[in-house]
């Protein structure tokens, strides 16, 4: 009985070591993925094969080690019985019981290992696919564009207020503590007082007709009081309100400057077409943080 408990303890230690090795392998795989250049289909294919091979080899080694530990108590029991002169009939009575118990445990382990392997493979495939995904490519392009200016993306929550929050962040960097609420209210007021400059660009999605006065008033109310997403019309209004150019950096087009008639330093924000599942999003920028050398 004592030998069986020792075997169980040894098996528990081995399983813990296996979990650690799996985590280390996943970390190594992630590092390999990050090193693959964009649009390099040949290397991505090779990476997929290498990942599958590494996971397969680790899985096979783990199975062998578990099998050795599982068989060890049984072998020791046989040797002990022979040394003590125990009849072969007794050994025959004990061994099948032990083998049956190990067999059931082994099946459970194999089933669990198979499920974990399947899950890890799905994760690895998703990560590899993301290397060529629109979101990943857009982020890489933007990072390159911004790094040339010694800038990086400042993440803004995706809550419908992202454009206003990005501008709010930029203004605070200039010691202008205007609030999100104020920016929305001022934008709505400006648009209402300059109806002819904005109404012709708004159409009813159901009819295709230009907004009526009532629809335009409702639109402006939503700008002021709801998380309604902002776009170029609102940016145009904000450039006039702030008397400042607004620069919108994009991944696949030259930056857009709104309010070029003003001479102040532009407020720079980032437009991301594929940032989230819902689609378009605005972020702010901040000085590029350089990682310290090892």
């Amino acid at each position: 009985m004592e030998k069986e408990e020792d075997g169980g303890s040894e098996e528990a230690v081995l399983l813990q070591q296996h979990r650690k090795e799996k985590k280390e392998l996943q970390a190594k795989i992630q590092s390999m993925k990050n090193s693959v250049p964009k649009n390099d289909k040949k290397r991505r294919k090779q990476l997929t094969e290498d990942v599958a091979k590494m996971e397969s080899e680790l899985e096979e080694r783990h199975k062998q080690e578990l099998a050795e530990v599982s068989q060890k108590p049984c072998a020791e029991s046989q040797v002990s019985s022979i040394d003590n002169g125990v009849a072969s009939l007794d050994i025959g009575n004990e061994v099948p019981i032990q083998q049956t118990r190990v067999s059931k445990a082994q099946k459970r382990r194999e089933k669990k290992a198979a499920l974990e392997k399947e899950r890890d493979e799905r994760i690895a495939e998703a990560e590899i696919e993301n290397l060529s995904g629109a979101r990943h490519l857009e982020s890489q392009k933007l990072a390159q564009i911004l790094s040339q200016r010694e800038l990086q993306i400042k993440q803004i929550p995706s809550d419908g207020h992202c454009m206003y929050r990005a501008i709010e962040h930029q203004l605070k960097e200039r010691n202008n503590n205007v609030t999100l609420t104020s920016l929305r209210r001022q934008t709505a007021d400006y648009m209402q007082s300059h109806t002819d400059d904005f109404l012709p660009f708004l159409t009813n999605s159901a009819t295709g007709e230009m907004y009526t006065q009532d629809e335009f008033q409702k639109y402006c109310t939503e700008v002021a009081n709801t998380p309604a997403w902002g776009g170029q019309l609102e940016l145009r209004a904000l450039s006039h309100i702030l008397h400042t150019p607004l620069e919108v950096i994009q991944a696949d087009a030259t930056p857009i400057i709104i309010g070029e008639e003003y001479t102040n330093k532009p407020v720079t924000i980032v437009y991301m077409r594929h940032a989230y599942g819902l689609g378009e999003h605005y972020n702010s920028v901040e000085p590029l943080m350089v990682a310290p050398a090892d």
Side-chain angles (χ1 to χ4, degrees), residues 43-59:
R43 288 189 61 184
R44 283 203 308 275
K45 180 180 178 182
Q46 183 61 48
L47 177 59
T48 304
E49 294 174 356
D50 291 344
V51 167
K53 182 179 179 182
M54 291 163 63
E55 290 179 331
S56 177
E57 291 176 348
L58 182 66
E59 183 68 25

Side-chain angles (χ1 to χ4, degrees), residues 126-143:
E127 290 293 338
I128 294 296
E129 183 179 351
N130 188 48
L131 289 174
S132 60
R135 184 185 309 177
H136 179 79
L137 295 176
E138 181 179 51
S139 296
Q140 281 193 325
K141 289 178 182 178
L142 286 170

Side-chain angles (χ1 to χ4, degrees), residues 108-141:
R108 287 195 297 270
R109 285 194 296 270
E110 289 178 353
K111 182 178 181 180
K112 181 180 179 182
L115 290 173
E116 290 181 352
K117 182 179 179 181
E118 182 181 354
R119 181 199 64 191
D120 292 341
E121 286 176 350
R122 288 199 304 267
I123 294 173
E125 289 172 1
E127 290 293 338
I128 294 296
E129 183 179 351
N130 188 48
L131 289 174
S132 60
R135 184 185 309 177
H136 179 79
L137 295 176
E138 181 179 51
S139 296
Q140 281 193 325
K141 289 178 182 178

Side-chain angles (χ1 to χ4, degrees), residues 44-218:
R44 283 203 308 275
K45 180 180 178 182
Q46 183 61 48
L47 177 59
T48 304
E49 294 174 356
D50 291 344
V51 167
K53 182 179 179 182
M54 291 163 63
E55 290 179 331
S56 177
E57 291 176 348
L58 182 66
E59 183 68 25
E60 184 62 30
R61 179 165 64 80
H62 284 179
K63 285 183 179 181
Q64 291 177 359
E65 291 174 352
L66 283 170
E68 291 172 2
V69 170
S70 298
Q71 294 168 5
K72 189 174 180 181
C74 179
E76 288 177 351
S77 176
Q78 291 177 354
V79 172
S80 176
S81 298
I82 293 171
D83 289 344
N84 293 327
V86 178
S88 60
L89 182 60
D90 294 334
I91 295 174
N93 288 337
E94 293 178 3
V95 172
I97 296 174
Q98 180 67 20
Q99 286 178 335
T100 301
R101 182 162 58 246
V102 171
S103 177
K104 289 180 179 179
Q106 185 71 16
K107 286 181 179 179
R108 287 195 297 270
R109 285 194 296 270
E110 289 178 353
K111 182 178 181 180
K112 181 180 179 182
L115 290 173
E116 290 181 352
K117 182 179 179 181
E118 182 181 354
R119 181 199 64 191
D120 292 341
E121 286 176 350
R122 288 199 304 267
I123 294 173
E125 289 172 1
E127 290 293 338
I128 294 296
E129 183 179 351
N130 188 48
L131 289 174
S132 60
R135 184 185 309 177
H136 179 79
L137 295 176
E138 181 179 51
S139 296
Q140 281 193 325
K141 289 178 182 178
L142 286 170
Q144 184 177 7
I145 292 170
L146 292 174
S147 67
Q148 294 172 355
R149 303 189 185 194
E150 298 185 348
L151 295 172
Q152 65 185 19
I153 286 177
K154 166 67 176 177
Q155 294 291 342
I156 299 296
S158 179
D159 58 2
H161 299 296
C162 59
M163 188 191 77
Y164 300 95
R165 289 193 191 280
I167 294 174
E168 178 187 36
H169 170 260
Q170 286 290 295
L171 294 175
K172 285 183 177 178
E173 293 296 304
R174 305 182 184 190
N175 296 318
N176 183 339
N177 293 319
V178 63
T179 64
L180 162 69
T181 302
S182 177
L183 286 173
R184 277 192 170 276
R185 180 181 52 76
Q186 290 184 67
T187 300
D189 289 346
Y190 186 90
M191 293 178 72
Q192 284 178 318
S193 61
H194 296 78
T195 301
D196 292 342
D197 294 335
F198 297 97
L199 180 56
F201 299 98
L202 292 168
T203 57
N204 186 306
S205 59
T207 65
E209 299 293 331
M210 188 175 72
Y211 267 12
T212 64
Q213 286 291 335
D214 288 343
E215 287 174 328
F216 181 68
Q217 290 302 315
K218 180 180 178 182

Side-chain angles (χ1 to χ4, degrees), residues 290-294:
V290 180
D294 293 335

